Amino acid sequence: ATVQGLGAALGSFLSGRNAPAANNDNTCTTAAAAGGRRRGRVDWLEVFAFALHGGLLNGPIGHYWFEWLETNGPKSKSKSMLIDQLCVQPPLLFVMFVFLDMTKAAVREVQPSCARTLSTIGPTIVSSWRFWPLAVWATFKYLKKKHYTVALNLCSIAWTVYLSKGKKQ
């Protein structure tokens, strides 16, 4: 994660093309769209996305893939490299670009999501207090301990249906 984050920060700083440039009207454009000037700034959203990808996907997958390739792959290092580069890396690059785009889009949605959440959380908490105490109490009172998880998961399905129905109205 650190290696990919550091690489993204250094690449962003050196290229300047992904660095956000502030306009007078408080909107953001890339340095290339702002006249191609190199700003020497770091695109921290990209750094975060690369670091997250490195820590959650690339690091673990790479570790286990290369362990497996060393143990079960061809004895020739050249053949192992060809298998890695021709068979494994193309799909992993596809997954990386999708992951980076999804991460950046999700981070951009944090502020609007918080605003939506704050507007609905009060009524949802009240509804939760009407539903969950009774569900948990009835489960503990009338069921055996081995059935708690199944019963509360069924309650959770009902709760999710209620929440989902409420969002659409």
Side-chain angles (χ1 to χ4, degrees):
T2 304
V3 171
Q4 278 198 311
L6 181 62
L10 186 58
S12 176
F13 179 79
L14 292 175
S15 72
R17 66 172 183 233
N18 290 329
N23 289 336
N24 292 337
D25 60 356
N26 291 332
T27 61
C28 235
T29 62
T30 62
R37 297 182 304 272
R38 291 182 62 165
R39 296 262 186 200
R41 294 174 53 187
V42 175
D43 182 356
W44 290 108
L45 181 56
E46 185 156 310
V47 172
F48 174 73
F50 268 105
L52 198 61
H53 171 264
L56 294 178
L57 292 178
N58 197 44
I61 290 172
H63 169 78
Y64 290 110
W65 162 244
F66 288 122
E67 287 285 323
W68 184 89
L69 191 62
E70 180 68 28
T71 306
N72 303 306
K75 299 297 178 216
S76 165
K77 302 299 179 194
S78 298
K79 287 181 183 176
S80 291
M81 181 270 305
L82 283 173
I83 289 172
D84 176 58
Q85 291 300 306
L86 297 176
C87 300
V88 176
Q89 291 307 314
L92 286 180
L93 283 171
F94 177 82
V95 168
M96 179 191 76
F97 286 121
V98 170
F99 184 92
L100 294 175
D101 285 346
M102 289 174 59
T103 302
K104 291 179 205 176
V107 169
R108 285 185 197 104
E109 280 296 313
V110 168
Q111 187 177 4
S113 176
C114 287
R116 285 189 304 269
T117 300
L118 288 174
S119 70
T120 61
I121 197 163
T124 305
I125 288 173
V126 172
S127 296
S128 172
W129 289 337
R130 290 179 186 147
F131 178 81
W132 282 107
L134 179 63
V136 173
W137 177 81
T139 299
F140 290 170
K141 175 127 175 101
Y142 295 111
L143 298 177
K144 293 180 182 175
K145 189 174 184 175
K146 67 180 182 177
H147 299 300
Y148 287 179
T149 303
V150 173
L152 291 173
N153 280 339
L154 290 172
C155 291
S156 183
I157 290 172
W159 177 248
T160 304
V161 168
Y162 169 78
L163 289 178
S164 181
K165 185 177 177 238
K167 277 185 89 170
K168 290 182 173 59
Q169 292 178 351

